[in-house]
Structures are given as structure tokens and as C-alpha cells.
Amino acid sequence: MSGHSKWSTIKHKKAATDKKRGKLFTQLTKELTIAAREGGGDPTFNTRLGLAIDKAKAANMPKDNIERAIKRGTGELEGAELFELMYEAYAPNGIGLLVEVVTDNKNRAVADLRHALNKNGGNMAESGSVSWQFTRKGYIAVGGKADQDELFLVAADAGADDIQFGEMAEVYTELENFQAVREAIKDAGMEVEEASMVYEPNNAIELDGDDVLQVMRVIEIIEDLDDVQNVYSTLEISDEAIAAMEAA
């Protein structure tokens, strides 16, 4: 598996500044609204909404904000129409990108993305030219000091595909097994730091030195755009690259 999820987890920890927290709350609000619009306002029967609520609570988002976002999704409160879009692009050095966008203005969203790419050595790609390089997966980050052997047994028995151990354990599943694995880990008393559906590259690409940092900076610039929810890449990100990026 690529280091994208690991990099995403590190970025979560860096989201303490007011600007980053404001961006995170905006993303969470949009996700709550879209999830409620697509599957209804009851998280018991709407897995996507349940995950969005968990993320919002983990980010200390006020309860009133969560409830308002859900009500806008169910139509109980008025709000701007939101569009959920996926753009395909290339960063420098041939690294493929999938960019998830939620916006109330499609023209602004694509113009901002195109500008960010063109200014930083990337470009937009034709539909289908990048997406085939990714597979949709369930992703679960397990924090605390979970026993590796126990986690492996619990997750594997519930249907996990792959488990990686580092600063925190990262569990990958097929979509149909995602809920079962997540619940099994929680039932075993382990701490689920993050649970979401992600796009993992089928064959991650390794780059050297400055090339890695160049791509990571482009990803960070795109992630900071107002309408962008998530960015997935085909870049293989090492622990050394993460350390260098954090030090930059």
C-alpha cells in the first residue's frame, strides 16, 4: 500500500491551527450534508453518515454544527445545493491524482484546481485516464498501543486484506468487509482513530529526493483549496519523505 493514508494521518495531527481547523470543519460539514442527503439522517442505517459523525466528533466539532449540517442534507434546513465531483489529474513526475470535490460552484472548483495544477507543474487529465490506477478500499487507523498479534487476528478474522504497523496500525479492507472489520476492532476494545473509504493506488510509484517533496507540496496546495475534500495519489511516500516535508 502507498503512504498516502499515513501522510493523511500526519496532516490530521497538524490541523491544530485556526486556518487548518476552519478548513477541516468546512470539509466535515460538507461530508455530513452530502451523506445525509444521499442516505438519510439516521446514522444507524446510513454508514457514510455514521463515519462522518465519528470524524466530526473526533475533531471536536460542536454538536449544534453537526446537527445543522445533517438537517441541511435531509432538507429540514435550507442550504446551498452541493455537488460531489471527482477530477483526475497529474502532478509533476507523472504521479496520478484523484481529487474529490464538494462544491456549490462547479466552475469555481475546476478553475481553482486547474490554476493550482498549472502553476505547480501539473495538469488536468481526461476522465478515466487516472482512475483505473486506483481501487476503492476501506481504511481503518488504529491508535493507542494495540497488541499487534491481537489486532492481526481480530482484523483478519473479520475480513481485512492488509495490515501495516508503524506509528499507528493501518488496516485495509474490501468495501463489503469494511463495517464488519471496523466493528470487530472496536468490540475488541481497540481505539479507532480514523475510518473511511479511500482510493488506494494499484501500483504506487517511488520517486527520489526533491521529486517526492515537489509532488507532496503540490498535493498539499490542492488539499488547501476551499472545495477539495480529499486528494489520492499514486505516489509512494516513505517515512523519510514525511519527515522532510514536516521539517520544510
Side-chain angles (χ1 to χ4, degrees), residues 3-79:
H4 170 83
S5 297
K6 182 163 48 181
W7 172 235
S8 175
T9 302
I10 297 294
K11 294 221 3 141
H12 259 304
K13 294 178 183 177
K14 294 173 68 179
T17 66
D18 289 341
K19 180 180 177 183
K20 292 287 188 182
R21 183 168 292 278
K23 165 71 171 175
L24 179 59
F25 277 13
T26 298
Q27 289 177 316
L28 291 168
T29 297
K30 288 179 177 179
E31 176 62 18
L32 288 161
T33 299
I34 288 284
R37 185 186 74 186
E38 298 299 320
D42 187 346
T44 306
F45 303 103
N46 184 344
T47 300
R48 182 175 179 182
L49 179 60
L51 292 173
I53 291 172
D54 287 347
K55 283 185 183 178
K57 288 180 177 177
N60 295 316
M61 190 173 183
K63 183 180 178 182
D64 288 348
N65 293 30
I66 295 173
E67 291 177 350
R68 280 197 300 272
I70 293 171
K71 286 179 178 178
R72 278 195 291 271
T74 58
E76 296 172 71
L77 291 177
E78 288 188 11

Side-chain angles (χ1 to χ4, degrees), residues 38-128:
E38 298 299 320
D42 187 346
T44 306
F45 303 103
N46 184 344
T47 300
R48 182 175 179 182
L49 179 60
L51 292 173
I53 291 172
D54 287 347
K55 283 185 183 178
K57 288 180 177 177
N60 295 316
M61 190 173 183
K63 183 180 178 182
D64 288 348
N65 293 30
I66 295 173
E67 291 177 350
R68 280 197 300 272
I70 293 171
K71 286 179 178 178
R72 278 195 291 271
T74 58
E76 296 172 71
L77 291 177
E78 288 188 11
E81 183 179 7
L82 294 176
F83 302 94
E84 191 173 24
L85 308 164
M86 179 73 80
Y87 292 109
E88 301 178 41
Y90 284 104
N93 305 299
I95 296 298
L97 304 176
L98 291 183
V99 183
E100 286 184 338
V101 165
V102 176
T103 182
D104 59 2
N105 187 322
K106 295 179 183 179
N107 292 333
R108 179 191 67 219
V110 71
D112 287 350
L113 177 57
R114 183 175 285 114
H115 176 74
L117 286 164
N118 291 344
K119 190 176 177 182
N120 293 282
N123 59 276
M124 300 291 288
E126 293 184 6
S127 178

Side-chain angles (χ1 to χ4, degrees), residues 137-150:
K137 293 274 189 180
Y139 170 77
I140 303 161
V142 183
K145 298 199 179 216
D147 180 89
Q148 293 189 8
D149 291 336
E150 182 185 4

Side-chain angles (χ1 to χ4, degrees), residues 121-140:
N123 59 276
M124 300 291 288
E126 293 184 6
S127 178
S129 62
V130 174
S131 59
W132 66 270
Q133 301 177 55
F134 293 83
T135 300
R136 192 76 157 148
K137 293 274 189 180
Y139 170 77
I140 303 161

